[in-house]
Amino acid sequence: MAIAEQPALGGIGESVLRKEDARFIRGHGNYVDDIVLPRMLHMAILRSPYAHARIRSIDTAAAEALPGVVAVVTGALLEQHKLAWMPTLSGDTQAVLATDKVRFQGQEVACVVAESKYVAEDAVGLIDVDYEPLQAVVTPQQALSPDAPIIRTDKDATDNHIYHWEAGDKAATEAAFARAARVVSLSTFYPRCHPAPLETCGCVADLDPITGQATIYMTSQAPHAHRTLFALVAGLPEEKIRVISPDIGGGFGNKVPIYPGYVVATAASLLLGRPVKWIEDRTENLISTGFARDYHMTGELALDADNRFIGLRVSLLSDNGAFFSDAQPSKFRAGLFHIVTGSYDIPAAHIVADGAYTNKAPGGVAYRCSFRVTEASYLIERLVDTAAHELGVDSAALRMRNFIQPEAFPYRSATGFEYDSGDYPRAMRVALEALGYDDLRREQAEKRARGELMGIGVASFTEVVGAGKGRDYDIVGLRMFDSAELRVHPTGKAILKLGVRSQGQGHETTFAQIVAEELGIPAADVEVKEGDTDNTPYGLGTYASRSTPVGGAATAVISRKLRDKAKQIAAHLFEADAADIEFERGRFWVKGSPDQVKTIQEIAFAAYSNIPEGMEAGLEGVHYYDPPNMTFPFGTYLVVVEVDRGTGVVKVRRMVAVDDCGVRINPMIVEGQIHGGLTEGFGIAFMELITFDPEGNCIGSTFMDYLLPTAWETPRFETLATVTPSPHHPLGAKGVGESATVGSPAAYVNAVIDALAPHGVRNIDMPVTSDKVWAALRGAGVTE
Amino acid sequence: MNVNVTVNGARRSAEAEPRTLLVDFIRTTLGLTGTHIGCDTSSCGACTVLLDGRPVKSCTLLAAQADGRNLSTVEGLADGATLHPVQEAFHTEHGLQCGFCTPGMMMVAAALLEENPNPSEEEVRWAISGNICRCTGYMNIVKAIRRAAELGVEVHSEPVSAPAAGVA
């Protein structure tokens, strides 16, 4: 049987099968741990067993004496090269290898470089560190108490407070609350979780001491930005650094920061003149790299007598771990949390955010999220449901009453965002109808009368994705544009090089489809290249759902520029005026003579063989796209659960997801992204938790206790779409990779709370495990 | 010690330390990097291979335990240019995204279909419940495996065109 037939062009809107599958289904992917270089050494890291301890001494003699060990690297050695500390993405500093004290369990203390990874691990066990344990601080509330031990003694800090940040209009918000008919509040904790891509982080650093060439293969969602950071941190000349991000086994934000392991492997390769490979094991990944969330939030919603939202007040306290290394635009201390007014027309809002250091791993990455949008969406959607329960009104109807109306776009939110487009009532109506909402509410009423616990959860999220514009959004000063370079070869085949980097999103297919649509070259004939800084234009990378909004726009614009040049060449071939040239699906003709056509392939050959006098040869170009605004994907998710009143076990019966991400380039891939996000959202809502005991020991350090959804418990999803194009994106697309993780946790939790609400339960913090549900039922007197 | 295995039909012999994990033997010694390491605790299934036709997690077996036995890895799934029905269906049903769990998933699926050529959705979900995928939400993996079951007979009997990209 042949590979399924595809339409010949593979343009926008077609579910083109993925080009990248061919290697992956044969086991021929090339992930970082698959890379083997001649004379390559292996590195393993010794990590702190304590959350907070002074280092009295480190004895590496036994490790160094082990046959096969080439070097043992400590913080003291790095200090000699001014590499013991490195800058973070939030303007703080982070220890590469601890010198003075350790500040979280799992912190990097020393590294062994050896001939094999087994020997490197053996030697790690032979390093003797003398620690003086200190009191650990494991919550931000504890951290801010006056008697808390100071964590950042290296900065001469006098407390553990990191930042204070506000957004919105305080006075207007106070005024709204003063005249409110009703105020509803919710305090909730969005716990620490971890992106846990199936491939852990790692690198192979290959520095040639003679040429000075540094080639670093690394699990990087942002290879260009990482190259610049290597230049700034390690003092390596940027033109000699080549970062190659090979196939990536999932990222979800985990592969945005630079971790100490990358830096030490690079330094070791430089010092030893041999390639050095470092690959995390799963425990290292979970206890030391980019965690997410850990936000303690209180929201208050002011309503008038007609149940209209008139004000929103939020205070939040973030736990940022031992180093403030949140991966976020530099001007925003709590990311884009101020999207917290969500899908609702709330005229006044005020947010107060504070952050604290604790003796926990740093990170604060956006786990499938655009910089704290997930926390914001969770809070507002949970708060609206709380209001519905308090007021005794239907949660869908309360949302309908308060949605920003379709004619109000572009809409300026109370916290300063300009929403590009949306039709929230339509997405809600499509979802309600698909679910059979009214019938289920009737069923719920009957079940309640019988004492059964059934809940229907609603969430109507709005995201903000696709940063920049560059003037407002930057990562360590680098403006958040992105780029595309397109070259059409004489035979009419093309190569497209991008500044973004897929981690499974299918860029090799979707970006080829954009070129197919705009230039008429079949997607099959467009080779997409990413991840190699020597061979792709500079870009900020793939996270925050920005590939399609920014990189996709760059691809559309450069395709159109080449199309304009192709028209001039066509005019030359037809001996006509370029203004009279028509174009459709790769065919050019003179207005009025549609039977005489030149194909893009013929034009491409002419670009190298027969161009008008004075024109530059070739058909290629590069475009750096700075978006005029961000995009605002949205949707409505509905969840139906049954809760067992005896055991607290929650069963998800239905999950209906209506997503509006604007124009869909490849509907098959979009749907796959949504399935994945709904599953990660399910995991966060019910299973995934990184927590700590009072001594700061990480509980959740393997996949035996950091629980991820399997096929067995994951619900079956019913996915639907509405399409409201973005008015400012060249293709009308908005980005979709994160919508489902942002929107779904509130829908799942709202469903459970809805089941328990008649018994007065208003909140259960995630993950909503059966023991917590059982405790809530017991507290409410529902079960013995 | 010397470890003798038949890998994807070919006899291989190599030295290994007694403590060498089977997954390291496969990836490093035999150079078959299609088998991946995801967790080290036999929780995720990225390292799944078939040992005498049965799925095992090669991160928690020793290479020595495979001595004298038959190993099948993802590299042996296709018959030359002819894709195994499971590979074919993972492609057409969009059953993979980042591709990291895919080899392990496909090996489990292939073993399932050998044993049960027409599994129900529940049976498929149970069979792959020892394998974690972070990207797909399993919907399309389940669809792919059921599609592979349908393809089973015809794929084995018909040659496949060149195994190029999905866009033809």
Side-chain angles (χ1 to χ4, degrees):
Chain A
M1 102 142 241
I3 297 270
E5 293 221 344
Q6 290 285 346
L9 187 60
I12 288 177
E14 294 181 32
S15 286
V16 175
L17 296 181
R18 297 200 328 164
K19 297 160 82 118
E20 40 275 86
D21 289 356
R23 62 182 185 276
F24 294 136
I25 58 175
R26 287 174 177 80
H28 287 183
N30 186 37
Y31 303 91
V32 71
D33 195 21
D34 302 340
I35 293 165
V36 176
L37 299 179
R39 304 176 64 240
M40 188 174 80
L41 298 167
H42 299 262
M43 188 179 94
I45 300 179
L46 174 70
R47 295 175 181 277
S48 168
Y50 294 105
H52 200 189
R54 201 174 312 285
I55 296 176
R56 288 203 194 99
S57 64
I58 303 178
D59 182 352
T60 60
E64 282 164 6
L66 188 74
V69 170
V70 177
V72 179
V73 184
T74 61
L77 177 67
L78 290 184
E79 222 160 29
Q80 294 168 21
H81 299 270
K82 296 192 166 53
L83 281 175
W85 292 81
M86 64 180 186
T88 72
L89 294 175
S90 277
D92 195 1
T93 49
Q94 173 173 358
V96 177
L97 294 177
T99 49
D100 51 344
K101 61 179 187 176
V102 289
R103 293 174 172 83
F104 67 94
Q105 186 188 55
Q107 187 178 340
E108 299 80 0
V109 175
C111 293
V112 174
V113 183
E115 297 289 347
S116 82
K117 76 170 179 177
Y118 283 53
V119 171
E121 293 285 354
D122 288 345
V124 158
L126 297 174
I127 299 173
D128 189 16
V129 184
D130 185 11
Y131 294 101
E132 176 194 338
L134 303 170
Q135 187 196 334
V137 178
V138 295
T139 68
Q141 293 85 355
Q142 212 183 328
L144 296 182
S145 74
D147 56 343
I150 306 299
I151 295 166
R152 295 304 300 275
T153 41
D154 57 293
K155 300 176 75 169
D156 299 323
T158 53
D159 61 25
N160 295 316
H161 186 255
I162 304 174
Y163 70 86
H164 175 84
W165 188 77
E166 295 187 20
D169 185 331
K170 186 176 181 185
T173 306
E174 297 301 331
F177 274 81
R179 67 171 189 276
R182 190 79 191 249
V183 172
V184 175
S185 70
L186 173 72
S187 289
T188 188
F189 173 47
Y190 203 132
R192 180 173 282 230
C193 49
H194 197 284
L198 204 53
E199 177 202 37
T200 60
C201 300
C203 69
V204 180
D206 181 17
L207 278 76
D208 185 325
I210 296 166
T211 64
Q213 176 68 40
T215 305
I216 306 164
Y217 305 84
M218 62 189 278
T219 45
S220 171
Q221 296 179 223
H224 292 277
H226 284 167
R227 180 180 60 169
T228 301
L229 289 171
F230 268 107
L232 296 173
V233 173
L236 298 168
E238 194 167 6
E239 79 283 6
K240 294 280 194 186
I241 307 173
R242 180 182 184 187
V243 172
I244 298 177
S245 180
D247 285 327
I248 299 191
F252 315 118
N254 186 224
K255 293 165 182 170
V256 171
I258 289 192
Y259 296 118
Y262 300 139
V263 177
V264 183
T266 302
S269 179
L270 179 66
L271 295 174
L272 300 169
R274 292 174 66 178
V276 175
K277 178 187 272 190
W278 164 68
I279 306 291
E280 283 178 339
D281 67 22
R282 178 55 59 186
T283 295
E284 295 182 284
N285 178 252
L286 289 172
I287 69 173
S288 74
T289 64
F291 79 92
R293 327 295 191 231
D294 222 342
Y295 260 33
H296 299 261
M297 305 178 283
T298 296
E300 293 171 279
L301 188 61
L303 299 96
D304 69 12
D306 296 324
N307 290 344
R308 288 191 192 281
F309 305 159
I310 58 170
L312 176 68
R313 200 156 51 192
V314 177
S315 66
L316 73 87
L317 178 58
S318 66
D319 181 338
N320 301 83
F323 309 103
F324 184 32
S325 63
D326 286 26
Q328 62 193 1
S330 65
K331 295 190 180 97
F332 302 90
R333 305 281 78 185
L336 306 181
F337 183 88
H338 47 308
I339 192 70
V340 68
T341 54
S343 305
Y344 310 102
D345 185 12
I346 308 178
H350 186 235
I351 297 143
V352 179
D354 289 274
Y357 290 117
T358 58
N359 289 118
K360 292 154 76 174
V365 301
Y367 170 6
R368 209 165 182 157
C369 157
S370 179
F371 316 121
R372 306 293 185 181
V373 172
T374 308
E375 291 90 326
S377 177
Y378 182 75
L379 180 64
I380 186 68
E381 290 304 316
R382 293 274 296 101
L383 186 55
V384 170
D385 257 41
T386 305
H389 293 309
E390 292 290 320
L391 301 168
V393 299
D394 180 84
S395 62
L398 183 62
R399 285 178 168 83
M400 280 292 211
R401 169 163 293 231
N402 286 285
F403 277 148
I404 299 162
Q405 293 302 304
E407 61 276 9
F409 291 90
Y411 172 84
R412 170 72 61 173
S413 81
T415 58
F417 289 108
E418 187 177 295
Y419 291 25
D420 59 347
S421 65
D423 189 341
Y424 306 149
R426 178 168 61 151
M428 173 67 90
R429 282 193 300 271
V430 170
L432 295 178
E433 191 173 321
L435 186 77
Y437 184 78
D438 294 338
D439 287 345
L440 284 163
R441 282 291 183 203
R442 274 190 289 276
E443 181 189 329
Q444 182 186 36
E446 289 161 18
K447 284 194 161 159
R448 278 183 178 163
R450 295 199 297 267
E452 294 173 39
L453 303 173
M454 169 183 166
I456 302 173
V458 184
S460 291
F461 67 94
T462 288
E463 275 189 287
V464 51
V465 308
K469 58 184 149 186
R471 198 185 62 209
D472 299 332
Y473 300 95
D474 67 87
I475 299 288
V476 292
L478 302 167
R479 288 186 167 205
M480 296 183 76
F481 58 81
D482 232 290
S483 61
E485 182 185 321
L486 179 60
R487 179 186 309 161
V488 183
H489 305 301
T491 56
K493 318 276 185 185
I495 184 162
L496 174 70
K497 300 174 175 184
L498 300 169
V500 293
R501 184 28 166 160
S502 176
Q503 308 121 42
Q505 295 91 335
H507 290 181
E508 289 167 48
T509 307
T510 48
F511 282 77
Q513 289 182 254
I514 297 172
V515 175
E517 181 73 25
E518 297 294 334
L519 204 48
I521 298 173
D525 293 343
V526 181
E527 188 74 12
V528 176
K529 297 286 184 194
E530 299 180 315
D532 180 345
T533 56
D534 265 12
N535 293 313
T536 53
Y538 203 102
L540 271 285
T542 293
Y543 42 86
S545 292
R546 64 188 300 281
S547 292
T548 297
V550 194
T555 302
V557 171
I558 193 59
S559 299
R560 289 171 189 179
K561 284 185 183 173
L562 297 200
R563 189 171 73 202
D564 288 343
K565 182 171 182 182
K567 280 186 176 177
Q568 289 179 26
I569 297 171
H572 167 67
L573 298 178
F574 284 125
E575 297 181 351
D577 192 304
D580 293 331
I581 301 294
E582 303 271 350
F583 168 85
E584 196 184 289
R585 290 175 73 90
R587 292 149 62 90
F588 298 80
W589 66 91
V590 181
K591 204 175 284 177
S593 308
D595 48 333
Q596 295 273 322
V597 303
K598 293 285 181 192
T599 65
I600 182 67
Q601 289 79 12
E602 290 170 304
I603 304 281
F605 197 78
Y608 296 86
S609 63
N610 182 11
I611 46 173
E613 202 60 39
M615 179 184 274
E616 263 185 81
L619 193 55
E620 70 175 272
V622 59
H623 184 77
Y624 282 68
Y625 186 82
D626 187 359
N629 187 8
M630 289 193 278
T631 62
F632 296 75
F634 61 93
T636 291
Y637 294 162
L638 302 176
V639 171
V640 182
V641 299
E642 308 274 358
V643 179
D644 186 298
R645 55 187 296 150
T647 62
V649 169
V650 176
K651 173 138 183 63
V652 175
R653 193 171 117 186
R654 299 274 304 279
M655 189 339 155
V656 168
V658 177
D659 271 278
D660 192 322
C661 57
V663 170
R664 295 181 171 210
I665 295 165
N666 182 322
M668 174 191 81
I669 287 178
V670 168
E671 192 158 312
Q673 289 291 306
I674 293 165
H675 288 167
L678 293 174
T679 305
E680 291 189 333
F682 173 81
I684 292 162
F686 292 110
M687 304 166 74
E688 298 181 27
L689 178 66
I690 301 276
T691 188
F692 297 82
D693 74 8
E695 280 78 50
N697 295 304
C698 179
I699 320 282
S701 59
T702 72
F703 280 170
M704 292 184 292
D705 22 50
Y706 188 71
L707 302 180
L708 301 172
T710 75
W712 191 245
E713 56 274 342
T714 299
R716 282 65 158 170
F717 307 117
E718 303 163 52
T719 50
L720 297 103
T722 60
V723 175
T724 310
S726 169
H728 66 75
H729 187 277
L731 305 171
K734 287 190 169 186
V736 72
E738 296 157 339
S739 297
T741 332
V742 168
S744 67
Y748 293 118
V749 177
N750 280 344
V752 178
I753 300 301
D754 187 57
L756 275 48
H759 305 285
V761 177
R762 292 288 180 269
N763 183 52
I764 298 175
D765 285 335
M766 296 185 292
V768 181
T769 51
S770 50
D771 61 308
K772 285 191 202 167
V773 175
W774 182 81
L777 287 169
R778 196 155 181 247
V782 180
T783 191
E784 298 276 303
Chain B
M1 64 178 291
N2 199 262
V3 176
N4 295 287
V5 287
T6 302
V7 184
N8 302 327
R11 294 178 66 89
R12 299 281 298 270
S13 176
E15 279 299 311
E17 280 186 72
R19 63 171 174 170
T20 304
L21 295 173
L22 180 56
V23 70
D24 289 326
F25 185 76
I26 292 169
R27 288 179 49 81
T28 307
T29 311
L30 302 179
L32 297 170
T33 55
T35 302
H36 298 143
I37 301 171
C39 72
D40 328 297
T41 50
S42 62
S43 310
C44 82
C47 64
T48 306
V49 298
L50 305 187
L51 188 61
D52 294 335
R54 292 177 57 87
V56 296
K57 291 176 174 173
S58 61
C59 75
T60 28
L61 281 174
L62 298 170
Q65 291 172 283
D67 188 45
R69 299 171 73 178
N70 256 301
L71 267 181
S72 309
T73 70
V74 65
E75 289 89 348
L77 214 45
D79 181 7
T82 307
L83 292 177
H84 187 282
V86 166
Q87 292 172 303
E88 176 75 31
F90 266 66
H91 174 58
T92 58
E93 301 301 325
H94 189 31
L96 65 150
Q97 291 181 26
C98 81
F100 203 77
C101 76
T102 310
M105 280 286 181
M106 292 195 306
M107 296 315 287
V108 170
L112 169 70
L113 296 181
E114 282 293 322
E115 200 179 285
N116 178 357
N118 188 25
S120 67
E121 178 177 345
E122 293 282 293
E123 287 169 331
V124 171
R125 283 184 177 265
W126 184 248
I128 63 171
S129 64
N131 292 63
I132 288 170
C133 171
R134 292 292 281 154
C135 298
T136 66
Y138 306 104
M139 293 275 289
N140 291 343
I141 292 178
V142 174
K143 261 165 74 181
I145 296 171
R146 301 197 74 199
R147 174 76 185 134
E150 290 168 17
L151 289 174
V153 181
E154 50 176 321
V155 173
H156 279 309
S157 60
E158 273 180 43
V160 152
S161 57
V167 185

